[in-house]
Amino acid sequence: MLGHVPPLPQQPQRSPFSGHMVVCGDDALARRLAVELRYVYGERVTLVLPPGRDARAPELPLTGRGLASALFGRMSSAMTRNGGSGGSDSLGDDTNAGVDPVRVLAAAEPSDEAFEEAGVASAAALALVYDDDERNIRAALTARRLNPRLRLVIRLYNRKLGQHLETLLDQAAAVAAPGLDRAALDASTTVLSDADTAAPALAATVLTGSSKVIQAEGLLLRAAERTPPGGGQIADPGLCTLALLSSTTHDPAGTEGSDSSGDEGPRLLPDERQVAAATGRGTVVLEAVSQAGPAGPPPRMGGRGAPLGQVFSRRLRWSALGVGLAVLGLAIASTLTTGDDPLHATYLTLLDLFAMGDPAIGAKTARQIIQILSGVAGLMLLPLLVAGVLEAFGSLRTASSLRRPPRGLSGHVVLLGLGKIGTRVLVRLRELGIPVVCVEDDPDARGIPVARRLHVPVVLGDVTQEGVLEAAKIQRSRALLALTSADTTNLEAALYARSVKPDLRVALRLYDDEFATAVYRTLRTAHPQAVTRSRSVSHLAAPAFAVAMMGRQILGAIPVERKVMLFAAVEVAGHRQLEGHTVEQAFRAGAWRVLALDATPPGDRRPDLAFPDTATPDRPSGLVWDLHPGYVLRPEDRVVIAATRRGLAELLRGRRRVSPGA
């Protein structure tokens, strides 16, 4: 008789979420990204969050219309009118009507067990958007081992490390899945930074007429904001008009303020009729396309080294000038009285000054008097030299650490917070040549070394304490950028700055959308003559992360007031809205527009248009920007498009309907 046979261990069953997308994170970006994928792109999404609640991004109901309404405002209203969660007027159909809500899992760490429960082994894409770079890297290595075919989108602050990580994970995917085709391998790993994505938008809130730069295949695409010339005329369209700004863009009492405000915003990708009718409104145009040179360091305030005025005080400089004039006068007197050669007379005067000459015994009386005066001048020079050395040492040490705001500084931007976002915004402002004074209460903050390297003045102290903003010369500044991680700190700083300078331009970083709207409207009412703006980093960064999850190459994103416009490289094959249509016919106002054609043969194309070709830097660009409107797009073509979030979602969904296996 056979003995007792122990039951076989339970075999893991295939996840019912095959082909879905997984988002792992611990802040508002993860929540917004999950909603973007679910209710804009119609994907099945599993969201992995740490247990408990993040104080900066409170838990929101990730079911049905609740979170979509909380995060997307007007867009969720369109979804609701279409009877579901994803369909909207601009998406074309109601394929998302009645879809399931986002699936939420709680896991303290992105471990093997958490990935197994989330179905990573059978998922199509995984986004790792934790605030900690090390955690994202460890999770990416684990996920690549579990699913070599998985498309990874990783949030990293360190740009150089991100490039190396992309190469490493792509190589791991090629080794573990040798049958992976080139297209899938090219899109297998994407490293993005929310700080890099949001920094241009945050910097633009304190500027007018600023330019946004996107790099593609060694080219710079410059999108410039242009104001109308007046007299019922429209602004110069440049290469093409990308957006029409709100009529109240630069009006303090205007509606362009909070990300979540329900007021009508700008019009993206308008047609010619809309541009012609929009007299008196500013525009965002594609201004120029030029070759991208090597990225140089941003300019430093005060030049390459410490200014002379910071090394030596004014009193010391006047004393040195006095000694120099005394030496010159003695040399001239020696020449006139002794008849000596001027050069030799100067030489003897310097010897006497440093007590290195012989006594003028038996010489003329004039020579003896000059020697005595030179000795007295030498006695004055000794303490001057000692003071100069000590003062230079102290000044250089201070200049190499942190600068204080200069006395006559004005027209600068006061930047609060030197964390991840604040550091990127600081670099962006210095690249634009804008003077900045930073305020930070942590001497070990991430941006302190950057400010020291750029010679940007920094005030160390709690911004909520009296006198800190005054030390940053807030009364003579042009704008305040409050980018700390605490909403209340940003609000308190803004209110205090307004009490010092009521017409100050203020831009706040606020996490909670409803709170941002309330703050914006209250400040606009209390200070009708001042411009107030509020921005959410997750709102600005989520679209780029979402499109990377869909496997499309993102060249860049530019903010247009409260909205975001994406630039992407798209294969024409399978897109019924593009394939077989002319460039003019393929244009969809408010959705997408074809900007350029990659004329390189398909076999010779580089997979990544966002970076220049380092192997063959002299190779001419294959992108054609002056496309004829009658050019017919072929299946083998690859094009660069400008698109809205919903427009790109419609393109992607349209391709899935034509080619289900794509």
Side-chain angles (χ1 to χ4, degrees), residues 8 13 86 147 151 239 262 311 314 336 347 353 359-360 365 386 416 495 518 544-545 559-560 570 606 639:
L8 294 175
Q13 299 180 354
N147 186 353
R151 185 183 306 122
L239 297 179
V311 178
R314 181 180 300 178
L336 295 177
Y347 173 68
L353 185 69
T365 304
V386 174
L416 309 184
L495 294 176
F545 281 82
V560 182
V570 175
R606 291 190 298 103
V639 294

Side-chain angles (χ1 to χ4, degrees), residues 175-240:
V175 172
L180 203 62
D181 59 23
R182 178 182 175 183
L185 183 61
D186 292 343
S188 63
T189 307
T190 304
V191 176
L192 297 174
S193 169
D194 58 327
D196 288 332
T197 305
L202 293 170
T205 57
V206 297
L207 306 173
T208 57
S210 59
S211 295
K212 296 88 177 175
V213 177
I214 300 111
Q215 184 169 333
E217 197 180 4
L219 300 178
L220 293 179
L221 288 69
R222 185 176 299 277
E225 182 180 314
R226 294 185 177 176
T227 56
Q233 301 179 3
I234 59 175
D236 182 6
L239 297 179
C240 68

Side-chain angles (χ1 to χ4, degrees), residues 310-399:
Q310 292 189 12
V311 178
F312 301 109
S313 65
R314 181 180 300 178
R315 182 179 300 176
L316 189 62
R317 296 197 302 271
W318 278 109
S319 300
L321 179 61
V323 173
L325 292 176
V327 173
L328 180 62
L330 291 171
I332 294 174
S334 178
T335 301
L336 295 177
T337 56
T338 63
D340 199 357
D341 180 74
L343 184 60
H344 188 261
T346 304
Y347 173 68
L348 292 177
T349 302
L350 291 176
L351 289 179
D352 295 335
L353 185 69
F354 294 107
M356 291 166 33
D358 295 329
I361 300 175
K364 294 181 180 180
T365 304
R367 168 71 182 130
Q368 294 175 339
I369 295 175
I370 291 175
Q371 188 177 58
I372 294 175
L373 294 177
S374 299
V376 174
L379 294 177
M380 294 189 298
L381 180 62
L382 180 61
L384 182 65
L385 292 176
V386 174
V389 170
L390 295 177
E391 188 170 290
F393 177 76
S395 299
L396 287 175
R397 185 176 59 180
T398 302

